Every structure is written in structure tokens, then in C-alpha cells.
Amino acid sequence: KAGVTQTPRYLIKTRGQQVTLSCSPISGHRSVSWYQQTPGQGLQFLFEYFSETQRNKGNFPGRFSGRQFSNSRSEMNVSTLELGDSALYLCASSLDNWYNEQFFGPGTRLTVL
Amino acid sequence: AQKITQTQPGMFVQEKEAVTLDCTYDTSDQSYGLFWYKQPSSGEMIFLIYQGSYDEQNATEGRYSLNFQKARKSANLVISASQLGDSAMYFCAMREAFYNQGGKLIFGQGTELSVKP
């Protein structure tokens, strides 16, 4: 079974630009979650999508948004990039229950100059 | 408030020895899951082991075991017979069932484990 894939793997943007990251979950997984990882703040939950609906949201500004398509693939968008948005963005997929483990993709490393 | 605490920023262990990585958690939910992940320098998070709040026995997965003490709210990871490939960051995480928390994992700050030959 193919794992979680994320594209692109690396991205360099400048302040003020916007970016879209993509995540393809494991086949059969309908829940897709996004996390931001930085050296200072650690791993922080961004949001979760399930059956094309946002089910959970972390404490991030509205510049961070996402969506999920009918095939469970998900995208996240960051508008008006700031230097502090430089991070590793991880996507994870899982089955629907709270006791199911999440499987992570390799991440997208975003650098904002 | 939901919180995961890992008090060991870094640890060293000799190859072939056992090591315990500490994790304490805080939650008011009765139903929750505790997870341990490994993150090598490549960045990908690798699932290691899971313990449910209602599980009476400690979870084990190969060389990994979880020392679950519910009353003390601790879920320590034990790695037996350490290998050089175990050198990585290790994260403890929690997921609550209340209000269908779904995919939201709360992570600790991590412990960087270095295995010495």
C-alpha cells in the first residue's frame, strides 16, 4: 500500500507570496491532518479534514487554509507569507477513530525569504 | 488543558542497552490514545506504538514497549537493545476522543536520542 505523499518536498518563497501544498493520503483513509513543525514551537496542529469538511482547527491565523477533495486528497494554502511561516509542513492520514494511528508523509520544507 | 510533557531534551545510550524516554500528559478526557513517533533527520514521522486509555496491559511492538501508568499520567517509551539506527527525535503525542477530536494530535517537545557504538 502506498504511503502518504506530499508535494512539493521543498519550496522557497518570498514574503507576501502565497503557497499551496498538496497531500495524498493512504488509500481508504478519509481523515487528513496538517501540522507545522518549527524549532521554536515544535509540532503544532493546523487543521483536519474529513469527508471534505474541516473537522478541527488549530490556533493559526486565517492566512492558513485548506481543503479536501472527494478522493480525500488535501491541499493547504498559506497566503501573504511571513518569515515566521518557514517550517516543515507535515500531512498525516488515518482511519476515522480517535484510537487509530496517523501516518505521516515526508513533509514539505517551506523557506520564506 | 491538553498537554504533553517530555522533560528530556536529549539522551545518550550505549548500543545494545535499553533506554527509557519519559512522557507525562494532562487531559480531562476519559478516552484518549497515546502515541509515540520517531523522527529521523530526514524529517518523516514514523509511528512506533500506541496505548489506549482503557488498555489494561502495556503495549509492545518488537523492541518498543510502553510503560503506561494511568494514575500518574505517564506513558514512557522503553527501547530495548538499542541500535545505531535508533538515533533520532522521539515524540510522545495524545489524541482525545471527547467532542470527536478526530485527527488532532497534541505533541510533546521531543527527546533527541543518540546511540553510541
Side-chain angles (χ1 to χ4, degrees):
Chain A
K1 207 178 222 186
V4 179
T5 58
Q6 290 186 247
T7 56
R9 293 292 310 279
Y10 301 91
L11 210 47
I12 299 175
K13 292 286 187 179
T14 56
R15 279 185 303 173
Q17 287 187 309
Q18 76 164 20
V19 66
T20 299
L21 313 182
S22 180
C23 172
S24 292
I26 291 172
S27 177
H29 288 186
R30 293 188 295 169
S31 169
V32 175
S33 299
W34 289 88
Y35 297 85
Q36 181 197 63
Q37 186 176 25
T38 59
Q41 299 298 317
L43 278 152
Q44 293 186 287
F45 172 78
L46 279 157
F47 31 65
E48 183 218 4
Y49 286 86
F50 178 80
S51 291
E52 302 179 64
T53 301
Q54 188 180 84
R55 187 161 66 172
N56 270 294
K57 189 176 188 304
N59 295 326
F60 279 82
R63 300 185 297 106
F64 292 82
S65 63
R67 58 178 176 167
Q68 186 180 34
F69 302 94
S70 58
N71 61 358
S72 293
R73 190 177 70 85
S74 177
E75 289 181 347
M76 68 163 280
N77 184 76
V78 188
S79 62
T80 320
L81 284 166
E82 300 177 0
L83 295 179
D85 296 333
S86 294
L88 179 66
Y89 290 88
L90 292 162
C91 163
S93 76
S94 74
L95 296 172
D96 188 36
N97 296 301
W98 56 270
Y99 50 81
N100 292 128
E101 64 269 37
Q102 291 189 343
F103 294 91
F104 284 78
T108 294
R109 189 165 295 281
L110 171 66
T111 302
V112 182
L113 302 176
Chain B
Q2 321 153 14
K3 190 176 180 182
I4 296 284
T5 302
Q6 293 180 255
T7 56
Q8 306 153 312
M11 286 192 72
F12 289 92
V13 65
Q14 206 67 36
E15 194 180 5
K16 299 181 184 177
E17 291 185 348
V19 63
T20 298
L21 306 183
D22 294 342
C23 171
T24 58
Y25 60 92
D26 190 20
T27 178
S28 54
D29 202 342
Q30 295 301 309
S31 301
Y32 52 89
L34 297 157
F35 304 81
W36 277 92
Y37 286 87
K38 171 184 177 181
Q39 188 178 41
S41 56
S42 61
E44 187 165 353
M45 299 284 282
I46 302 167
F47 166 73
L48 295 177
I49 194 167
Y50 162 81
Q51 180 83 42
S53 57
Y54 295 116
D55 294 339
E56 294 186 353
Q57 294 201 341
N58 288 339
T60 59
E61 288 286 349
R63 293 186 301 110
Y64 305 107
S65 61
L66 203 152
N67 184 0
F68 181 48
Q69 298 186 45
K70 193 171 181 177
R72 298 178 65 179
K73 293 191 174 179
S74 74
N76 299 337
L77 176 71
V78 180
I79 305 175
S80 63
S82 296
Q83 302 172 355
L84 296 178
D86 293 335
S87 294
M89 281 290 288
Y90 288 81
F91 291 96
C92 179
M94 177 174 65
R95 191 172 177 183
E96 297 172 320
F98 189 56
Y99 286 145
N100 191 20
Q101 290 292 319
K104 183 179 180 180
L105 274 174
I106 305 296
F107 284 89
Q109 288 299 101
T111 295
E112 185 166 11
L113 178 67
S114 297
V115 180
K116 294 182 173 181

